């Protein structure tokens, strides 16, 4: 008899515990993810005949918005409930501007009884960064949570992924090869980047592994895609200088030739001048048709062939 009584008492206690657990179970919903600064709606579909109140989960005595059969109130700016929805069993909370400070767990209560727990997250967004070799890469952390900085390499050696630093407030823990290059104040700074730092950097919280932001980094001095055996291409300004130099050389050669021609003609003029006892004029035709003339005999032995050539080329038929 005592054994039966003990069993009944045990069963009664177990039933009470089960009922207590069932009465305290809340309705969990998937995380709500929105873009930065977009409005967010935290859903909760339950019936409540009393006071409905939304709070941050770890601050149950600090209401954000509340609603009853008579009215709804925004206790804090940026949070609101709608009475018509409340009367229909839609107890949703609207956050008008979701920023990083609004990332949290929220709880909906009916007369201090938990109904729904909802997690609000900000969709991670990617920032494209182009940077010169030797400059510093600055990675914004955006949140006060402890975060890991994960580097996904896109270098020629092949893709790889590794945690390079952990940031906890002002405390910084990095892999040995990054210790001398990294510092943190309000952002993480990686100094003296090189093409080997190309890749994707991810900022992720360690509490719930939530990705906050990614940075796709390209170091502008990366020429790994060029064929080094072919050498560097000649720039446009180099081609212009080459052409200009060639033109100057050609011009100088032509100038020298012109000066030589003028000098030879001047010497011929002096040779035929009456002041030197030379004939005042010579006919090219007579020189050719009458080589036995005195003038021909006087000119031919004294003039080099080059002078005769210039006489034919640069003087018209007639007198010189």
């Amino acid at each position: 008899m005592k054994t039966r009584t003990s069993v009944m008492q045990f069963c009664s206690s177990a039933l009470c515990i089960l009922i207590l657990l069932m009465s305290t179970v809340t309705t969990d919903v998937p995380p709500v993810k929105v873009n930065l600064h977009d409005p967010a709606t935290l859903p909760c579909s339950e019936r409540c005949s009393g006071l409905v109140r939304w709070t941050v989960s770890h601050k149950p005595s600090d209401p954000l918005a509340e609603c009853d059969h008579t009215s709804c109130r925004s206790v804090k700016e940026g949070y609101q409930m709608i009475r018509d929805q409340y009367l229909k069993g839609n107890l949703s909370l609207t956050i008008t501007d979701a920023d990083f400070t609004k990332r949290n767990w929220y709880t909906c209560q009916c007369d201090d009884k938990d109904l729904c727990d909802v997690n609000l997250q900000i969709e991670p967004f990617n920032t494209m960064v182009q940077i010169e070799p030797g400059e510093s890469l600055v990675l914004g952390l955006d949140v006060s949570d402890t975060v890991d900085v994960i580097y996904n390499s896109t270098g020629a050696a092949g893709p790889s992924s590794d945690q390079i630093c952990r940031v906890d407030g002002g405390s910084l823990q990095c892999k040995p090869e990054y210790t001398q290059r990294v510092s943190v104040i309000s952002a993480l700074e990686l100094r003296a980047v090189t093409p080997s730092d190309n890749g994707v950097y991810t900022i992720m919280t360690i509490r719930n592994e939530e990705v906050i932001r990614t940075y796709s980094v390209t170091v502008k001095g990366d020429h790994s895609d060029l064929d080094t055996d072919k050498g560097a291409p000649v720039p446009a300004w180099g081609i212009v200088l080459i052409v200009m130099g060639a033109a100057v050389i050609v011009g100088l050669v032509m100038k020298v030739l012109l000066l030589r021609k003028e000098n030879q003609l001047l010497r011929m003029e002096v040779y035929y001048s009456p002041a030197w006892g030379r004939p005042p004029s010579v006919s090219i035709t007579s020189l050719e048709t009458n080589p036995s003339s005195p003038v021909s005999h006087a000119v031919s032995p004294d003039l080099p062939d080059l002078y005769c050539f210039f006489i034919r080329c640069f003087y018209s038929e007639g007198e010189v």
Side-chain angles (χ1 to χ4, degrees):
M1 187 70 178
K2 290 182 179 180
T3 301
R4 180 178 298 179
T5 303
S6 300
V7 171
M8 291 181 64
Q9 289 177 347
F10 173 79
C11 291
S12 299
S13 300
L15 181 61
C16 290
I17 293 173
L18 179 61
I19 293 174
L20 179 63
L21 289 174
M22 291 180 63
S23 65
T24 58
V25 169
T26 61
T27 303
D28 291 329
V29 297
V32 174
K33 295 184 178 183
V34 297
N35 293 325
L36 185 65
H37 298 304
D38 280 356
T41 299
L42 310 185
C44 186
S45 298
E46 297 286 343
R47 288 287 180 177
C48 179
S49 58
L51 177 67
V52 174
R53 174 181 294 170
W54 278 92
T55 66
V56 175
S57 296
H58 64 275
K59 297 179 179 180
S61 61
D62 189 12
L64 305 173
E66 51 190 26
C67 209
D68 56 25
H69 281 278
T70 60
S71 63
C72 293
R73 295 166 295 282
S74 296
V75 180
K76 292 191 175 182
E77 185 178 358
Y79 303 88
Q80 60 185 25
M81 297 179 66
I82 300 176
R83 182 171 176 274
D84 290 344
Q85 294 181 351
Y86 161 83
L87 296 175
K88 297 176 183 179
N90 183 355
L91 310 181
S92 299
L93 173 70
T94 298
I95 301 176
T96 57
D97 181 8
D99 58 26
F100 288 111
T101 64
K102 305 292 197 314
R103 297 168 43 259
N104 224 320
W105 279 92
Y106 295 83
T107 299
C108 179
Q109 297 177 329
C110 175
D111 292 331
D112 297 327
K113 173 186 174 183
D114 293 351
L115 297 179
C116 303
D117 287 330
V118 184
N119 179 221
L120 175 62
Q121 299 180 0
I122 305 298
E123 288 280 8
F125 58 97
N126 183 62
T127 302
M128 305 294 292
V129 179
Q130 289 189 342
I131 191 170
E132 297 287 350
E135 294 182 346
S136 294
L137 172 63
V138 178
L139 306 177
L141 302 177
D142 298 313
V143 296
S144 59
D145 307 48
T146 301
V147 298
D148 287 335
V149 181
I150 301 171
Y151 171 52
N152 296 278
S153 173
T154 57
S160 63
S161 179
D162 196 9
Q163 175 191 331
I164 60 174
C165 289
R166 172 167 290 182
V167 184
D168 183 6
S171 174
L172 181 64
Q173 296 178 350
C174 294
K175 297 182 67 175
E177 59 265 37
Y178 287 91
T179 302
Q180 300 301 320
R181 299 177 57 200
V182 175
S183 60
V184 62
I185 302 178
S186 58
L188 186 78
E189 180 180 356
L190 177 63
R191 295 182 293 274
V193 299
T194 66
S196 63
D197 294 312
N198 276 351
V200 179
Y201 295 78
T202 301
I203 310 298
M204 184 175 66
T205 63
I206 66 170
R207 184 176 62 180
N208 51 7
E209 297 185 344
E210 178 186 354
V211 175
I212 302 300
R213 184 188 295 202
T214 59
Y215 293 85
S216 296
V217 178
T218 301
V219 180
K220 293 181 181 180
D222 183 16
H223 299 300
S224 58
D225 58 333
L226 297 179
D227 186 356
T228 54
D229 293 336
K230 296 181 179 179
V234 178
W237 58 266
I239 296 175
V240 172
L241 288 179
I242 292 173
V243 172
M244 292 179 62
V248 169
I249 292 173
V250 171
L252 289 174
V253 171
M254 294 183 66
K255 181 66 174 176
V256 169
L257 292 176
L258 182 60
L259 290 175
R260 288 183 62 185
K261 181 190 73 172
E262 291 178 351
N263 182 55
Q264 291 166 352
L265 292 177
L266 180 60
R267 291 173 62 184
M268 289 167 55
E269 251 182 56
V270 172
Y271 183 83
Y272 285 104
S273 171
W276 291 84
R278 308 292 185 184
S281 64
V282 176
S283 171
I284 300 298
T285 304
S286 64
L287 287 172
E288 293 178 348
T289 58
N290 190 12
S292 60
S293 66
V295 175
S296 177
H297 285 296
V299 172
S300 298
D302 298 328
L303 285 180
D305 291 339
L306 184 61
Y307 290 172
C308 294
F309 168 78
F310 277 112
I311 292 174
R312 289 189 176 93
C313 294
F314 296 101
Y315 285 81
S316 62
E317 291 290 336
E319 294 184 351
V320 178

